[in-house]
Amino acid sequence: MVTPTERPTVTVWSDVGCPWATLALHTLRAAARRRRVPLLIDHRAFPLELFNREPTPKFIVDPEIMAIAARLPELGWRMWDGPAHTYPVTTLPALEAIQAAKDPAIGGLQGSDELDEALRRAFYNDSKCISVHAVILDLAEECEHVDAKALAEALARGSGRAEVYAQWRTAEGPQIQGSPHLFAVGDYASHNPGATFTWTGSPYEGGLPRLDDYSTAWADELLDAVQGEG
């Protein structure tokens, strides 16, 4: 039996509201499941709204979702179809919950990753407002390795907030290039792996993202590295 300390770990800096990060995490998780690698993901917050001093604009997220989902329909992503007033204006509560869930008494890295995946699915597939405390806790109830009651108590104490702000300060340094940025053993580091895309112009002036290519090969290469097979 593989113990948690022996399981290969990948550190991922990202924002839940970043479609590119959600794509990378989907690719990595899918590869790990296909290969039956008991991978742990250590989530670190790259809070876009703190960097940009504004909510991540829907007019940027929407075309990114469209570009990615059109090329990879198996993701099951949909354009936001909930009421306009329920669109998430902030992802900080979700990011804080992911950090709080790392507590071994709540879920550890495995539970934290389950919650991260559930939050992303809720937003990209189900148009749920992941800014709302109750929605986050409902999703935690569905996570096998998360103690939702303990998470609720931890969030009531403010758990996760200090970690998100500390990680934001770290991410302001030159080593972290954006969301997503992945790190692993052997000096592995990759920002937005697999994606070849460009914006046709500034999104604030009507530019659109063009996804020219997406390769999933990077995930197998990363798993080889963390398993010592590279």
Side-chain angles (χ1 to χ4, degrees), residues 66-168:
M66 186 177 295
I68 295 169
R71 190 176 187 92
L72 301 163
E74 62 270 22
L75 293 171
W77 293 2
R78 298 186 300 178
M79 301 302 295
W80 180 265
D81 62 4
H85 69 275
T86 65
Y87 187 82
V89 70
T90 175
T91 61
L92 289 184
L95 294 172
E96 291 167 8
I98 292 164
Q99 294 304 310
K102 287 183 183 180
D103 184 333
I106 298 175
L109 290 184
Q110 185 172 2
S112 174
D113 185 48
E114 288 177 0
L115 182 58
D116 176 274
E117 185 173 18
L119 286 161
R120 292 175 192 270
R121 183 171 57 249
F123 177 52
Y124 293 93
N125 298 60
D126 302 327
S127 296
K128 292 184 178 181
C129 184
I130 59 171
S131 300
V132 175
H133 181 73
V135 172
I136 294 170
L137 293 181
D138 284 346
L139 293 169
E141 290 278 5
E142 301 172 6
C143 297
E144 179 182 358
H145 295 95
V146 176
D147 184 332
K149 181 179 179 180
L151 177 62
E153 293 171 350
L155 292 177
R157 296 191 300 269
S159 296
R161 175 158 297 186
E163 290 82 353
V164 167
Y165 276 82
Q167 290 164 14
W168 169 40

Side-chain angles (χ1 to χ4, degrees), residues 7-8 22 34 48 57 67 116 145 179 185 194 200 212 221 227:
R7 295 172 65 173
T22 305
R34 171 173 48 82
L48 292 169
D116 176 274
H145 295 95
S179 172
V185 296
T200 60
D212 296 317
E221 294 168 0
Q227 289 186 291

